[in-house]
Amino acid sequence: MPRLLAALGFCLLAALSPAAAQLPDRPLRVIVPSPPGGTGDIVARLLAEAAAPHLPRGAVVDNRAGANGNIGMAEAARGAPDGSVLVQCAFGPCGANPALYAQPGYELDAFVPVILTGAVHNVMVTRRGFPARTLPEVIALVKAKPGTVTFASSGVGASNHLGPELLRTRFGLDWVHVPYRGSGPAITDLVAGTVDVFFDNIPSILPHIRAGAVQPVAVLSAQRLPELPEVPTFGESGAPGVVIDSWFGFLAPPRTPAAVAEALNAAFNQALSQPAVQERLRAAGVEPLGGGTARMGEQVRTESARWAEVVKANGIRAE
């Protein structure tokens, strides 16, 4: 009788979700290499909940923060390659960290791509009263007064640190990095006029733009954003190719079979296709993405190579 029930359960699972038959009969552990409460954590929890009906035993989120995401990535690298473990990938651990850290604790290339889940757009802003209002004007001012214009970041290696460093390399800018412990303190000092420039996520900086406390210069997206329709892109402002999104996706541990990765991809694409999920993601300032495993693989390869060049060119090391 137990064997019969098990067989019936397996057949029912396969009938409800053919892809799920590739996965082990236990909860999927989703490792998030950041603390609870941030945008990345919100995205992971929302998608884990929405994908649960398409997985054999649902999913649980496990926050493993530390070392700019390296601890969670290292934990995932030791996970079983059978579809029972995923790690949420983002700009730091899957973009800049392999170049920033001599020994991050994992081999990024060894992970198996599963799905690109979403992106948060960014905008370059300046303090109120800053004399340069457009990107060409900012570049001209920095060149005219080398070593005097400051840009804030939420920490060494963050996207809002490496974005200005990319401009330093491309345009030969001599401006001064002022790192903070998070975006909140950086915004506080930007509004107070203590620092000049900041690259930030749209959700957190938009209220300050609308209040007139900071000045938008250009958005770091491929197209203009509905939230800021009058603000040009970097491409429109004379810096083609400068597109810097804070993005999220999932990777499976090394040696995970392709069929298992495809099964996980199918479950999370089903989650992302739900209008209610898309609405909740957009309410959090996240653009839903999705697509095949190859799309995620290309994202990781492109971003890690891109930021390795910036890190090397500017001699940046993690503190």
Side-chain angles (χ1 to χ4, degrees), residues 169-271:
T169 302
R170 178 172 292 194
F171 296 104
L173 303 183
D174 179 11
W175 52 3
V176 181
H177 176 214
V178 182
Y180 290 83
R181 292 185 178 274
S183 292
I187 292 174
T188 297
D189 272 9
L190 181 73
V191 171
T194 305
V195 289
D196 298 316
V197 178
F198 189 41
F199 289 35
D200 196 29
N201 295 341
I202 290 291
S204 56
I205 200 65
L206 187 59
H208 302 282
I209 293 174
R210 288 177 171 165
V214 299
Q215 301 171 172
V217 175
V219 294
L220 291 112
S221 53
Q223 292 85 32
R224 293 196 183 199
L225 302 179
E227 300 93 336
L228 297 168
E230 302 303 317
V231 180
T233 66
F234 266 64
E236 293 173 319
S237 303
V242 179
V243 176
I244 306 173
D245 289 327
S246 299
W247 54 274
F248 305 101
F250 290 125
L251 298 178
R255 300 179 302 281
T256 297
V260 171
E262 292 292 347
L264 291 166
N265 176 274
F268 281 94
N269 265 317
Q270 286 178 297

Side-chain angles (χ1 to χ4, degrees), residues 1-12:
M1 183 63 71
R3 290 183 179 180
L4 177 60
L5 291 175
L8 288 173
F10 179 84
C11 292
L12 180 61

Side-chain angles (χ1 to χ4, degrees), residues 16-319:
L16 292 174
S17 178
Q22 299 285 341
L23 305 176
D25 189 24
R26 58 181 181 273
L28 173 66
R29 179 189 179 201
V30 180
I31 297 174
V32 177
S34 59
T39 302
D41 179 65
I42 292 171
V43 171
R45 291 180 183 277
L46 172 58
L47 293 180
E49 177 185 351
H54 311 291
L55 298 166
R57 296 285 182 178
V60 294
V61 172
D62 182 6
N63 294 88
R64 292 298 179 100
N68 199 26
N70 289 348
I71 289 176
M73 291 293 292
E75 174 74 11
R78 297 187 291 268
D82 61 358
S84 63
V85 176
L86 281 182
V87 63
Q88 179 166 263
C89 201
F91 177 92
C94 295
N97 284 13
L100 281 170
Y101 293 83
Q103 295 182 325
Y106 60 94
E107 294 290 337
L108 181 59
D109 293 344
F111 283 88
V112 177
V114 172
I115 189 169
L116 182 64
T117 55
V120 178
H121 298 302
N122 297 294
V123 60
M124 177 183 180
V125 296
T126 65
R127 60 174 171 81
R128 184 170 53 190
F130 191 68
R133 301 299 297 266
T134 67
L135 181 61
E137 290 175 354
V138 171
I139 291 171
L141 180 61
V142 175
K143 288 187 172 183
K145 298 182 177 180
T148 61
V149 176
T150 56
F151 70 88
S153 83
S154 58
V156 173
S159 61
N160 49 32
H161 172 207
L162 297 186
E165 295 292 356
L166 175 63
L167 296 188
R168 184 196 300 275
T169 302
R170 178 172 292 194
F171 296 104
L173 303 183
D174 179 11
W175 52 3
V176 181
H177 176 214
V178 182
Y180 290 83
R181 292 185 178 274
S183 292
I187 292 174
T188 297
D189 272 9
L190 181 73
V191 171
T194 305
V195 289
D196 298 316
V197 178
F198 189 41
F199 289 35
D200 196 29
N201 295 341
I202 290 291
S204 56
I205 200 65
L206 187 59
H208 302 282
I209 293 174
R210 288 177 171 165
V214 299
Q215 301 171 172
V217 175
V219 294
L220 291 112
S221 53
Q223 292 85 32
R224 293 196 183 199
L225 302 179
E227 300 93 336
L228 297 168
E230 302 303 317
V231 180
T233 66
F234 266 64
E236 293 173 319
S237 303
V242 179
V243 176
I244 306 173
D245 289 327
S246 299
W247 54 274
F248 305 101
F250 290 125
L251 298 178
R255 300 179 302 281
T256 297
V260 171
E262 292 292 347
L264 291 166
N265 176 274
F268 281 94
N269 265 317
Q270 286 178 297
L272 282 163
S273 70
Q274 299 173 28
V277 171
Q278 295 180 11
E279 182 178 350
R280 288 176 65 186
L281 286 172
R282 291 193 173 99
V286 179
E287 178 186 352
L289 295 176
T293 59
R295 183 183 190 186
M296 180 58 177
E298 180 62 22
Q299 177 78 6
V300 173
R301 284 190 296 272
T302 300
E303 287 288 280
S304 58
R306 176 191 194 190
W307 298 114
E309 291 182 4
V310 174
V311 168
K312 182 178 179 180
N314 293 283
I316 303 169
R317 301 304 299 175
E319 295 178 351

